[in-house]
Amino acid sequence: MSILEVKGLQKVYASRFGGNKVEALKNVSFSVEAGEYVAIMGESGSGKTTLLNILAALDKPTAGTVILDGKNLKEVRESAIAAFRRDNLGFVFQDFNLLDTFTLEDNIYLPLVLTGKSYQEMRERLMPIAEKLGISALLKKYPYEVSGGQKQRAAVARAMITNPKLILADEPTGALDSRSTDELLQQFAEVNRMGQTILMVTHSVKAASVSSRVLFIKDGEVFHQIYRGSDTDEQLYQKISDTLTLLATGGMKQ
């Protein structure tokens, strides 16, 4: 069953005075099944960020539709969009987006505080997530007291605690060192095995190679895709690298 359906998505930006127009997305169509782990790759300027912003209901398409769990985002009232985003989507950002004046625990609780959940319910939701992500002993620490990898695991916990339909990850390993990247990718794989659907935008071949499918965007369109099938992470890594080389040199046709 598809949890996310994207159909004929187009986004055109006009200059301030309506002169030059830039077509960031041309005709993007794809679907994501419940429980899938999909990576989106492409060169800078290919439309990845624009696509992510539209999926996150932070921007509106010029044309086309986005349907999340059967709900057309166009039909969500402007006054209800923040609540819809909070209830259905989890976010993991490159720069963590944690509040330094809050402990990790309070940062993770924040989406539930906004919905009026009791402390007891928040605690019951957090503890199994914190244990799986290996941050149980860090919950009373502040973001400036922990490493980048630990911050990102707290950000993943915050994304998971609302039981979202979909986690959107924007370059989640971009600010991490090699060891922290490996640890986080293991955590993402575990979160996905638990049934969580993940859509990740990334430049990192290593990050994409733990996904179950990779979509390549070029010039505002889905240009190619690779399914993991029975491939190991190493085999998928090589396929992704080869595809990116072909895309960059113009040696691959859609």
Side-chain angles (χ1 to χ4, degrees):
M1 175 188 169
S2 293
I3 196 80
L4 176 70
E5 294 181 55
V6 178
K7 300 177 181 178
L9 216 57
Q10 180 191 32
K11 181 64 179 182
V12 178
Y13 292 102
S15 64
R16 184 176 178 184
F17 300 106
N20 296 329
K21 292 186 177 181
V22 177
E23 194 173 26
L25 298 175
K26 292 180 181 176
N27 182 27
V28 174
S29 298
F30 65 92
S31 62
V32 176
E33 301 298 307
E36 249 196 309
Y37 184 170
V38 178
I40 296 179
M41 303 193 77
E43 297 176 337
S44 295
S46 61
K48 302 187 308 298
T49 300
T50 300
L51 174 61
L52 194 70
N53 286 340
I54 291 173
L55 298 182
L58 295 169
D59 197 0
K60 293 182 178 180
T62 305
T65 58
V66 176
I67 299 171
L68 178 63
D69 196 31
K71 183 72 172 178
N72 189 333
L73 264 57
K74 283 183 179 177
E75 297 173 356
V76 182
R77 297 190 313 277
E78 195 66 37
S79 60
I81 199 72
F84 177 85
R85 196 184 297 127
R86 185 181 63 231
D87 294 342
N88 292 279
L89 299 169
F91 298 94
V92 181
F93 304 95
Q94 177 176 338
D95 56 358
F96 321 125
N97 280 22
L98 298 174
L99 298 173
D100 276 338
T101 54
F102 284 18
T103 63
L104 296 186
E105 182 176 24
D106 287 340
N107 267 285
I108 295 166
Y109 284 154
L110 194 54
L112 295 183
V113 171
L114 295 173
T115 64
K117 294 287 189 289
S118 69
Y119 177 78
Q120 182 63 30
E121 181 176 349
M122 292 192 295
R123 184 81 178 168
E124 287 172 359
R125 285 200 197 187
L126 173 59
M127 296 322 294
I129 295 172
E131 186 174 345
K132 282 189 170 62
L133 293 175
I135 57 171
S136 299
L138 304 174
L139 294 175
K140 298 301 181 183
K141 291 185 178 292
Y142 290 86
Y144 55 83
E145 296 180 304
V146 300
S147 70
Q150 291 166 335
K151 287 180 190 176
Q152 197 59 300
R153 277 186 270 166
V156 173
R158 181 184 58 193
M160 291 176 62
I161 200 163
T162 59
N163 299 319
K165 304 288 192 309
L166 177 67
I167 285 181
L168 296 173
D170 186 8
E171 300 285 1
T173 62
L176 303 181
D177 59 31
S178 180
R179 179 180 174 184
S180 295
T181 291
D182 290 342
E183 290 175 353
L184 182 70
L185 293 177
Q186 289 175 11
Q187 301 293 347
F188 261 67
E190 176 61 26
V191 167
N192 177 243
R193 280 193 289 272
M194 291 161 56
Q196 178 64 60
T197 310
I198 302 173
L199 184 70
M200 172 177 62
V201 167
T202 183
H203 279 101
S204 167
V205 177
K206 177 184 279 190
S209 66
V210 302
S211 67
S212 55
R213 178 164 52 117
V214 186
L215 295 175
F216 297 88
I217 292 186
K218 184 175 182 181
D219 298 329
E221 296 183 271
V222 176
F223 196 78
H224 186 64
Q225 62 181 324
I226 296 175
Y227 286 86
R228 170 182 291 277
S230 59
D231 288 346
T232 63
D233 288 356
E234 291 74 18
Q235 290 169 326
L236 187 57
Y237 184 102
Q238 191 59 54
K239 285 184 178 180
I240 295 168
S241 298
D242 292 346
T243 300
L244 289 173
T245 300
L246 288 168
L247 287 172
T249 59
M252 175 174 284
K253 303 300 180 184
Q254 191 167 13

